[in-house]
Amino acid sequence: MAGNGRNVVTLSLSVLLFVAFVEKSPPVALAYGRFKHRMAPIPFPNATNPDPPKPWTCDISSGAWSLSTNLPLYTGLTCPYIRSGHNCQRAGRSDMSYQKLRWRPWGCKVVQLTPQRLLNLFRNKTVVVFGDSVSKDLSTSIKCALNAANPNWTRFKLAGGTTRVWGEKMDPHNIRLASLFSSHLNNIGLLSDALQPPSVPGSGKRKQSAAAAAAGGALEAETAAETAAGGAVSTESAIARAIAMSAAADAAWPRVSTTVAVAAAAAAADEEAAVAVAATVGEAKAGKKKPSIVSPQAQQQARRIYLDQIDPKIKDLLPKADIVIFQATNWWYASDNQWFLGGQQQKITRNAAYAIGLKTLKNYVESSGFAGKAVVMGVSPSHYIVPEAGMKEGKCDVNHPMTWNQTQEVRRMDSRSFEMRKVQLQVLKGSKLRYVDVLPMSFWRPDGHLSKWTTPGGNTGKHDCLHWCEAGVTDSWLEMLYNTLL
């Protein structure tokens, strides 16, 4: 009897803990692919005791991280496609547990991902990833996992409408993978003004100096040579050209030469290249006022987000894809975003704007006749813990997942991520678009971020607590994505 009494007390305490940890609003279970998702957060997972209370219905949002003998699928030493600054292992990180933890959703029959299974799923398919720089982490995980099964890649050009992009093709399995940067997945103001020099007094026409024209021609010629050879334009190459182009253009375009260089480099490479170019050009012009990335004329237009229009690149390439993956939330947090509907600026909150923009994407994909599978990846959290003296932002230099109490503190600092997640759950309810809710599983994992390991030896004063080490957390995203696509 005494034993039964203790069991009753233990069970009662468990129930009380469960009720205390779940949000006050009732859970809303939504079906997406193979999984269900609740509006409430994870109640009380424990990495050392991953078994949930019984019974427990399948819910990808609730589970625990546990060590797996089958991970990693690849490492920072075996995959050659991990971007510079994203390879924690090569940078010198010695603890490897961040690569070996696997997310176990409670109550779900999850098919364990292997490189061969992913290859079989993607065989004879074109997979296109649209999103911000975090989506690039996911596309790298996809490529590295596939590479572990068959390291036989060639370049191919994916073209549709006015959009052209280089991707990778795996032979002989005819798997085509492409990744495109799209900050909001909606249409944004173009930097057309930034690409033009100012009017020359008295001429009434826009002209550029011979030096600037030569620099621009050289850039185009070198870029054409690289792409003709089947290679991507490297960030380093783009930086070098941008500096040369900026210097050549200084005399004629003192205010916008850096803008032209950065824009040209960004067109030749990608978003990360543009950021690197901006910083490097600024350093190269030491002693001068740090140049802005865009001209004052273009800044207003650059911040416009047209919520009722999707990114034209999505329109162009959606018909070419068999599987399309969307992930873009980080740029919605920018303080200088301006929301537009019907060509008119709207005074609305970020969450309201995001709901409209995401609904625009959902409606377009569903009404476009797209016959493939479309997936929205959930919000990827950041973990900028309280900064130390001398640091402008926080740090995430830890080697283990957070405890429950730690997650509550960080959640208070990053409540916006959960607000965005609520928007996703509400907008995508009943949608044909599948949804992979990565926020709850990722929220426990500050140890999975790049942290200080963006440079060899970790010798940096600034931590990256937004992007992820590869291999690592994004491979669990990939496993959930794989199961969602089955």
Side-chain angles (χ1 to χ4, degrees):
M1 289 295 291
N4 291 337
R6 284 194 296 270
N7 290 339
V8 170
V9 172
T10 302
L11 178 59
S12 299
L13 287 174
S14 296
V15 172
L16 287 173
L17 284 170
F18 179 88
V19 173
F21 287 143
V22 176
E23 288 181 341
K24 294 180 181 180
S25 57
V28 180
L30 308 176
Y32 299 104
R34 293 169 52 88
F35 300 120
K36 292 182 179 179
H37 304 71
R38 284 181 174 80
M39 291 290 286
I42 317 170
F44 47 84
N46 184 329
T48 60
N49 181 20
D51 294 325
K54 309 293 185 181
W56 193 268
T57 57
C58 176
D59 176 12
I60 189 179
S61 309
S62 301
W65 290 96
S66 60
L67 287 171
S68 173
T69 57
N70 297 312
L71 292 178
L73 302 175
Y74 57 91
T75 73
L77 303 180
T78 61
C79 181
Y81 302 108
I82 300 176
R83 293 170 291 166
S84 174
H86 287 247
N87 195 326
C88 298
Q89 190 173 359
R90 283 197 180 277
R93 183 171 178 177
S94 58
D95 65 294
M96 293 292 106
S97 61
Y98 70 93
Q99 296 185 354
K100 299 176 182 179
L101 289 172
R102 180 177 180 236
W103 178 250
R104 289 180 54 188
W106 288 339
C108 300
K109 294 182 179 179
V110 176
V111 178
Q112 186 160 343
L113 179 65
T114 66
Q116 188 61 46
R117 284 174 175 166
L118 187 65
L119 185 151
N120 293 339
L121 178 66
F122 285 170
R123 182 179 281 112
N124 295 319
K125 290 182 175 63
T126 298
V127 181
V128 183
V129 181
F130 292 97
D132 55 28
S133 55
V134 172
S135 75
K136 192 80 170 180
D137 291 346
L138 176 62
S139 63
T140 300
S141 179
I142 294 173
K143 187 172 181 182
C144 286
L146 289 171
N147 189 72
N150 180 12
N152 187 17
W153 295 91
T154 57
R155 302 283 287 174
F156 87 104
K157 183 177 285 187
L158 184 64
T162 60
T163 302
R164 305 287 187 275
V165 61
W166 283 103
E168 292 81 25
K169 179 180 177 182
M170 176 180 281
D171 298 317
H173 305 285
N174 195 30
I175 298 173
R176 298 167 299 279
L177 176 64
S179 177
L180 291 90
F181 178 74
S182 179
S183 60
H184 296 73
L185 303 176
N186 293 102
N187 196 12
I188 63 174
L190 302 177
L191 301 180
S192 55
D193 288 344
L195 293 173
Q196 299 294 336
S199 298
V200 177
S203 68
K205 297 181 180 180
R206 292 185 171 186
K207 298 180 180 180
Q208 57 178 322
S209 69
L219 172 66
E220 293 178 2
E222 291 181 35
T223 301
E226 284 195 37
T227 53
V233 179
S234 67
T235 299
E236 293 77 11
S237 179
I239 290 173
R241 296 175 201 179
I243 293 174
M245 189 174 182
S246 179
D250 263 342
W253 309 341
R255 294 183 180 178
V256 297
S257 59
T258 300
T259 294
V260 175
V262 171
D270 58 17
E271 174 221 10
E272 290 190 353
V275 173
V277 166
T280 309
V281 169
E283 293 171 1
K285 296 175 135 187
K288 296 184 180 180
K289 184 179 178 181
K290 188 175 180 179
S292 61
I293 294 180
V294 295
S295 63
Q297 310 96 290
Q299 286 180 6
Q300 286 295 107
Q301 190 178 8
R303 292 194 298 264
R304 293 180 180 179
I305 315 301
Y306 298 99
L307 301 172
D308 49 357
Q309 304 172 26
I310 68 165
D311 188 327
K313 296 190 292 290
I314 298 175
K315 285 186 178 181
D316 287 345
L317 297 183
L318 187 65
K320 305 293 183 179
D322 299 294
I323 297 172
V324 61
I325 302 164
F326 302 108
Q327 186 176 36
T329 55
N330 291 304
W331 284 87
W332 289 87
Y333 302 138
S335 60
D336 57 356
N337 283 329
Q338 296 178 3
W339 316 120
F340 279 76
L341 273 173
Q344 300 297 317
Q345 186 173 357
Q346 307 294 315
K347 298 297 183 182
I348 56 179
T349 66
R350 178 190 65 239
N351 291 339
Y354 181 55
I356 297 169
L358 184 59
K359 188 174 182 179
T360 297
L361 174 70
K362 176 183 76 76
N363 290 344
Y364 181 84
V365 174
E366 290 180 339
S367 63
S368 66
F370 177 62
K373 297 177 181 179
V375 183
V376 174
M377 302 296 293
V379 181
S380 175
S382 61
H383 290 88
Y384 288 98
I385 315 298
V386 178
E388 296 179 353
M391 295 184 67
K392 293 183 178 180
E393 294 180 314
K395 57 185 294 186
C396 48
D397 185 17
V398 295
N399 58 10
H400 53 78
M402 288 191 292
T403 65
W404 173 261
N405 289 337
Q406 288 172 327
T407 65
Q408 296 312 289
E409 179 62 28
V410 175
R411 179 171 179 175
R412 280 190 287 272
M413 296 191 301
D414 189 28
S415 60
R416 63 185 188 179
S417 294
F418 285 87
E419 293 171 358
M420 298 285 274
R421 175 180 180 254
K422 286 183 179 180
V423 171
Q424 291 178 335
L425 289 166
Q426 291 163 355
V427 172
L428 297 175
K429 182 179 180 180
S431 172
K432 293 180 181 179
L433 278 69
R434 307 177 186 213
Y435 179 59
V436 181
D437 188 10
V438 301
L439 175 58
M441 72 172 75
S442 308
F443 199 64
W444 296 91
R445 297 294 309 280
D447 60 303
H449 287 295
L450 296 175
S451 183
K452 64 182 181 180
W453 301 107
T454 56
T455 59
N459 298 318
T460 177
K462 183 177 181 180
H463 286 216
D464 186 339
C465 303
L466 173 64
H467 301 93
W468 303 92
C469 293
E470 296 160 334
V473 171
T474 55
D475 299 311
S476 279
W477 295 2
L478 181 56
E479 184 170 73
M480 297 303 109
L481 172 63
Y482 170 79
N483 278 266
T484 301
L485 290 170
L486 290 178

